[in-house]
Amino acid sequence: MKKEYFSVLVLLFFLLFYTHSNGQEDYSFGSSAKKDYEKLIELQQGTEQTFLQTHDFDIKINGCDNVINHLNKFLKRYPDDKRSDKVTTALESWKSQKITFNLQLNSLINDLSSLLSKKAAEAALKKHQMSKIETIDLISQDKHTDGDKLFLTNTYTVRMKGKIMGKNISKLNISTSGSINIEDKSILINDKAQIEE
């Protein structure tokens, strides 16, 4: 009798354990989606806070990429979750924000580069006053952000030809640098260009 009683107890124990385990699995799946969504909200809020504290476009663009990756992972992991529509809307918003940051950065770089190219041309003509510029090509660009300013150093290769009968062909490498204020778009160009012949 005792053996039968013990067997029934063991059987009941395993039955309760199995039922409890299955219940936990269902609950953990549901709560996992909820917790992951809450983490996504925190990530987005934290990233937006970072954006308010920096003018660095690289940080902003990388921040967008990070959020976009996490939003995509959520949609892949929980395609049928009730929050998926909200996550999809947020994903499109972050993609749009990344495009905006890229456009703003490229606009600043283009504005500053245009003036740096003119500075390089002026330096070349000053160096060889009896020559004219045939070509001027950008060969390298170094950029970084410090505070609210974007700093740029462009290096150009300049091919020049003498004005008289096209003689005396010269090739120069000219580096020019300057900065642009990200907020008010004011530009400062360094007066001295570095010239290598």
Side-chain angles (χ1 to χ4, degrees), residues 11-186:
L11 187 62
L12 282 170
F13 174 78
F14 279 113
L15 187 61
L16 284 169
F17 178 78
Y18 178 76
T19 306
H20 181 70
S21 294
N22 278 353
Q24 282 293 101
E25 280 181 23
D26 290 341
Y27 176 76
S28 68
F29 179 80
S31 71
S32 179
K34 183 181 178 183
K35 285 179 181 176
D36 285 351
Y37 181 73
E38 288 170 355
K39 286 178 185 176
L40 277 180
I41 298 298
E42 289 176 13
L43 175 64
Q44 291 176 84
Q45 290 173 344
T47 304
E48 286 166 355
Q49 275 299 120
T50 300
F51 289 176
L52 294 174
Q53 297 166 5
T54 184
H55 292 287
D56 193 320
F57 283 100
D58 289 334
I59 291 174
K60 291 181 178 182
I61 291 166
N62 288 336
C64 288
D65 281 334
N66 186 40
V67 173
I68 288 167
N69 286 338
H70 280 84
L71 291 169
N72 277 323
K73 283 179 184 176
F74 184 92
L75 290 172
K76 188 174 182 181
R77 187 172 179 187
Y78 309 109
D80 299 322
D81 189 80
K82 61 183 180 181
R83 304 164 192 87
S84 292
D85 287 345
K86 290 181 180 178
V87 173
T88 301
T89 301
L91 179 61
E92 294 308 313
S93 175
W94 282 95
K95 285 180 178 179
S96 176
Q97 196 166 6
K98 179 185 174 182
I99 290 169
T100 300
F101 287 144
N102 273 310
L103 288 173
Q104 289 173 348
L105 175 61
N106 290 333
S107 175
L108 291 173
I109 289 174
N110 289 339
D111 289 347
L112 186 51
S113 285
S114 176
L115 294 174
L116 293 179
S117 177
K118 289 177 182 177
K119 186 69 179 177
E122 289 172 8
L125 292 171
K126 189 175 181 181
K127 177 77 173 174
H128 291 286
Q129 295 181 10
M130 298 303 293
S131 299
K132 61 181 180 180
I133 295 173
E134 280 201 319
T135 59
I136 179 167
D137 298 306
L138 179 66
I139 56 173
S140 71
Q141 184 175 79
D142 179 57
K143 65 178 175 66
H144 72 276
T145 305
D146 187 4
D148 60 355
K149 288 185 174 63
L150 172 70
F151 291 87
L152 210 61
T153 300
N154 285 357
T155 301
Y156 301 90
T157 181
V158 183
R159 189 173 189 274
M160 306 184 77
K161 186 181 283 189
K163 291 180 181 177
I164 302 170
M165 300 185 68
K167 294 183 178 180
N168 301 324
I169 294 175
S170 302
K171 288 184 181 177
L172 309 172
N173 278 351
I174 302 178
S175 293
T176 56
S177 60
S179 64
I180 185 166
N181 187 294
I182 293 169
E183 290 186 318
D184 65 15
K185 309 297 187 290
S186 58

